[in-house]
Amino acid sequence: MQKQYFISIVLDRRRIKKDGTFPVRLRVFMPETKKQKLYNTVFSFTEKDFKNIWESGKVKREYRDLKAELFAIETRAEKIAKDLPTFTFEDFERLMFGSTGTKRNVAFFFNKIIEDFTKKGSISTAKGYNDAYNCISRYAKGKDLNFKDITVSFLEGFEKFCIDEENKSITTVSMYTRNLRAVFNRAITEKVISNEVYPFGKNKYKIKTSAKVKKALTADEVKILFEGTPKTPEQEQAKAFWFFSYLCNGMNVKDIIELRCKDVDDEKITFVRSKTEKTTSDVKAIEVYLNDYSRKVIKDYGTECQSPNDYIFPVLTKGMSSEVQRQKKLNFISFINDNFDKYAKDLGFKEKITTYWARHTFSTVAINKGMSIEFVGEALGHTDIKTTMNYFKGFEKDSKKKITDLLLDFQ
């Protein structure tokens, strides 16, 4: 089989420079089409020096560094060409020189990912990417960014811009930069750019993480909330759904809203986390066993099933667009949070206790009651035990001290 390309370092003798030297080029030749391209380097030599540096078998000491630099250019070009499934000058130039063109730049891949998530109905995720790109664009003052423009220095400046000028939190900055990292990964996978322009990782830009304490209640606090009496029907409903989330392994309210009749029987709920389903190829169903309270919530606030695909709770209806569904979910979560907050405040709680607390409260109470990290991780639907470990790592000091005390509790 004929080789698709030949790569070499050559002295371009077609034009002599004012200093008597000739430019050194990277030559790429395709024998099938008999087409060649010469790419600039920073080097230029006389014919004699080029022969001594590049063409001579034995290189003098003063020329060794120069030869090493030329050899590095040739080696990199050979590797990039070899890794291409089918060699083309366009693909080679993108990977060798970072020239993505206006159609395959940062904006192109952001738009591509936003479009993909929108088609899948992941409107919130699509909006997150859109917000990230808009913020990056503001920092770049509207410049049409190529991947080679996003350097470690650029990212450090972007982080400072977000915090100092746009008053963004570290959590928001990390979300935006994770989205940008995903854009880079997509471009690398599609062989639009090479790994060498990747600005993230060891000795490069490290995405910041927030060390916020996970919001979780103690068992005693849960008891107070469970035994309290709401003052209004809205507070009663908010309490019901907060405890439904807590008792159903800390199920996210978005997943509660999406439950269908086929997911529930008298004994248990079997569901797949919406977040996992859209981000993980190895999807695992979670089983949640019902108790009298959670069954009563379904009876009091659920709808009568007419078909297996009917929604259990009347928040969503068939035929709603993804954008309308997203807004309905947000409205319902806000309804629970606002009314449960009023209920909790009446019982003496000072912080706003949201649905987010229900998930972490389930985790910390389960662990403090002696459940293993593996059990809690499976109950939460985590695909990696490290995620569960991070949950516990963020719990408040009292929770950590309790689990330590349990190690010597042999009763």
Side-chain angles (χ1 to χ4, degrees):
M1 181 179 176
Q2 188 180 29
K3 191 173 180 180
Q4 292 181 312
Y5 58 86
F6 289 94
I7 292 173
S8 58
I9 298 290
V10 299
L11 194 68
D12 188 356
R13 297 177 175 84
R14 295 174 300 175
R15 180 177 63 85
I16 191 168
K17 299 173 75 172
K18 289 182 180 180
D19 61 0
T21 63
F22 296 95
V24 175
R25 314 280 193 197
L26 175 70
R27 177 179 181 263
V28 181
F29 174 67
M30 292 184 69
E32 184 177 348
T33 60
K34 299 193 182 324
K35 182 178 179 181
Q36 77 164 4
K37 282 195 174 186
L38 297 175
Y39 300 101
N40 293 333
T41 73
V42 297
F43 302 101
S44 61
F45 302 121
T46 63
E47 291 189 71
K48 181 180 178 182
D49 284 344
F50 183 74
K51 184 176 181 179
N52 289 332
I53 294 167
W54 190 246
E55 296 177 345
S56 174
K58 189 174 182 179
V59 182
K60 294 180 181 179
R61 180 176 296 176
E62 62 264 31
Y63 294 140
R64 286 177 186 171
D65 288 344
L66 290 170
K67 181 162 186 174
E69 291 183 59
L70 290 174
F71 182 72
I73 294 171
E74 186 182 55
T75 301
R76 179 167 178 261
E78 285 279 5
K79 183 180 185 309
I80 287 171
K82 183 180 178 181
D83 288 344
L84 290 171
T86 302
F87 181 88
T88 66
F89 283 112
E90 180 185 9
D91 289 339
F92 174 78
E93 288 164 7
R94 276 204 303 265
L95 296 171
M96 184 73 185
F97 306 109
S99 55
T100 61
T102 56
K103 293 183 179 179
R104 306 278 284 177
N105 58 9
V106 175
F108 171 85
F109 277 95
F110 260 107
N111 288 330
K112 194 172 184 180
I113 291 175
I114 290 168
E115 183 181 346
D116 288 348
F117 276 115
T118 302
K119 284 180 180 176
K120 290 191 292 185
S122 301
I123 304 300
S124 295
T125 306
K127 184 179 183 302
Y129 275 90
N130 188 65
D131 290 345
Y133 177 72
N134 287 339
C135 190
I136 292 166
S137 186
R138 288 194 297 274
Y139 171 63
K141 295 181 169 51
K143 180 183 176 182
D144 203 11
L145 292 168
N146 281 307
F147 286 96
K148 63 182 179 181
D149 298 321
I150 312 292
T151 62
V152 173
S153 177
F154 178 96
L155 290 168
E156 289 171 347
F158 173 65
E159 178 186 309
K160 191 172 188 303
F161 166 80
C162 288
I163 294 170
D164 293 349
E165 297 188 33
E166 299 223 336
N167 297 316
K168 307 289 187 190
S169 66
I170 288 293
T171 301
T172 300
V173 175
S174 67
M175 180 179 69
Y176 287 175
T177 48
R178 280 198 303 271
N179 287 349
L180 181 57
R181 182 178 62 187
V183 165
F184 265 88
N185 290 334
R186 180 77 168 263
I188 290 171
T189 299
E190 296 189 15
K191 293 191 176 296
V192 170
I193 59 173
S194 69
N195 282 306
E196 292 184 11
V197 300
Y198 195 67
F200 301 96
K202 188 177 180 180
N203 299 323
K204 294 182 181 180
Y205 178 80
K206 291 186 179 179
I207 294 175
K208 301 295 185 293
T209 56
S210 174
K212 291 172 68 175
V213 172
K214 305 296 185 185
K215 298 297 187 180
L217 299 166
T218 65
D220 288 340
E221 289 171 328
V222 174
K223 182 180 179 182
I224 292 170
L225 289 166
F226 186 71
E227 293 179 351
T229 303
K231 292 182 177 179
T232 66
E234 291 79 14
Q235 290 182 20
E236 183 68 56
Q237 184 177 0
K239 175 187 175 183
F241 277 94
W242 194 96
F243 273 97
F244 188 85
S245 170
Y246 169 70
L247 293 169
C248 292
N249 297 7
M251 188 188 300
N252 286 324
V253 175
K254 288 182 181 179
D255 290 322
I256 293 173
I257 292 169
E258 291 181 356
L259 286 175
R260 296 177 186 265
C261 293
K262 63 184 179 182
D263 302 325
V264 183
D265 59 37
D266 190 56
E267 184 183 26
K268 67 181 184 299
I269 297 171
T270 305
F271 76 105
V272 174
R273 287 186 70 198
S274 176
K275 180 179 179 180
T276 305
E277 188 175 28
K278 293 169 182 174
T279 58
T280 307
S281 56
D282 184 19
V283 177
K284 186 176 180 181
I286 301 170
E287 289 187 341
V288 176
Y289 285 85
L290 299 170
N291 63 10
D292 290 342
Y293 186 92
S294 49
R295 288 191 191 94
K296 187 174 186 305
V297 173
I298 293 174
K299 180 181 177 182
D300 290 348
Y301 298 101
T303 56
E304 187 175 340
C305 291
Q306 302 295 324
S307 74
N309 284 320
D310 286 348
Y311 291 105
I312 290 290
F313 298 109
V315 180
L316 307 179
T317 57
K318 294 177 182 178
M320 279 184 180
S321 68
S322 297
E323 184 56 48
V324 172
Q325 283 193 14
R326 173 180 172 273
Q327 195 57 54
K328 288 280 189 180
K329 292 174 186 176
L330 292 176
N331 290 346
F332 190 66
I333 292 169
S334 293
F335 167 84
I336 296 172
N337 288 338
D338 292 344
N339 285 284
F340 194 75
D341 178 53
K342 293 174 184 176
Y343 167 64
K345 290 287 197 303
D346 287 341
L347 293 173
F349 290 85
K350 298 188 182 304
E351 289 193 77
K352 183 171 184 177
I353 302 170
T354 66
T355 57
Y356 182 76
W357 288 55
R359 186 168 178 81
H360 294 291
T361 298
F362 161 76
S363 307
T364 190
V365 170
I367 290 172
N368 285 337
K369 292 290 185 182
M371 298 298 103
S372 68
I373 290 285
E374 289 78 12
F375 170 85
V376 173
E378 182 177 334
L380 291 168
H382 291 160
T383 56
D384 189 340
I385 195 67
K386 290 179 182 177
T387 307
T388 315
M389 295 290 284
N390 286 335
Y391 262 54
F392 188 63
K393 188 165 60 179
F395 290 151
E396 293 172 333
K397 182 175 68 175
D398 287 348
S399 299
K400 293 181 180 179
K401 288 174 69 176
K402 284 180 182 178
I403 196 68
T404 304
D405 294 338
L406 282 172
L407 297 175
L408 293 177
D409 184 359
F410 303 119
Q411 299 300 318

